[in-house]
Amino acid sequence: MIKTNPETLNEIKAVKNVLTIAKYYNVSQEFLDEAYDYIMANKEHKIQGQITQIKFMNGNTTEKIFSVDRPSMSIDGLILTATFLSIIPHYTPSSGGGGGSSGGGSSNNNNNNNNNNNNH
């Protein structure tokens, strides 16, 4: 079971980070316990959630892969360690042709203005 009475700041952060997994993924209590133990065992351990899987990683090496139900549509994934949490928001491409072309024009104007400012 995830440590019910965390004693250090790192333990508090780790519990909070691991519980965030359950907010976005359909996982069991046993999975959460294993995730907590994994990230607390080594500073190099991290957990990377994607759309259909969660990976336990040691640095850049994948040590374990779990298949999971698609997370909340509000995210495309997450990365966490005992002390770090990053949520990757879901990307929805904008629709409508008018907005894209006018945005490009604005971007070009900004670039021209920046280039003019740099030349002075």
Side-chain angles (χ1 to χ4, degrees):
M1 182 161 140
I2 292 179
K3 192 165 188 164
T4 55
N5 292 316
E7 298 170 2
T8 67
L9 183 58
N10 281 350
E11 289 174 351
I12 292 169
K13 287 180 181 179
V15 168
K16 180 179 179 269
N17 290 351
V18 168
L19 291 177
T20 300
I21 297 170
K23 179 177 177 183
Y24 297 105
Y25 293 88
N26 186 14
V27 294
S28 68
Q29 181 63 47
E30 291 78 21
F31 175 87
L32 296 174
D33 294 339
E34 186 174 348
Y36 176 82
D37 291 341
Y38 184 76
I39 62 171
M40 292 303 290
N42 185 323
K43 287 190 293 188
E44 297 296 317
H45 287 176
K46 66 182 173 184
I47 296 174
Q48 182 176 358
Q50 299 173 335
I51 292 175
T52 60
Q53 61 187 10
I54 296 176
K55 297 178 181 180
F56 285 15
M57 303 182 70
N58 187 359
N60 291 324
T61 303
T62 301
E63 294 191 325
K64 220 172 195 183
I65 298 176
F66 300 87
S67 293
V68 292
D69 292 335
R70 182 173 171 83
S72 164
M73 294 300 288
S74 65
I75 71 166
D76 283 341
L78 56 81
I79 299 170
L80 66 89
T81 67
T83 59
F84 171 82
L85 172 65
S86 176
I87 304 292
I88 302 162
H90 180 65
Y91 172 72
T92 305
S94 61
S95 60
S101 63
S102 67
S106 173
S107 175
N108 288 338
N109 288 339
N110 288 338
N111 288 338
N112 289 337
N113 290 338
N114 289 338
N115 288 338
N116 289 338
N117 290 337
N118 289 336
N119 290 332
H120 293 293

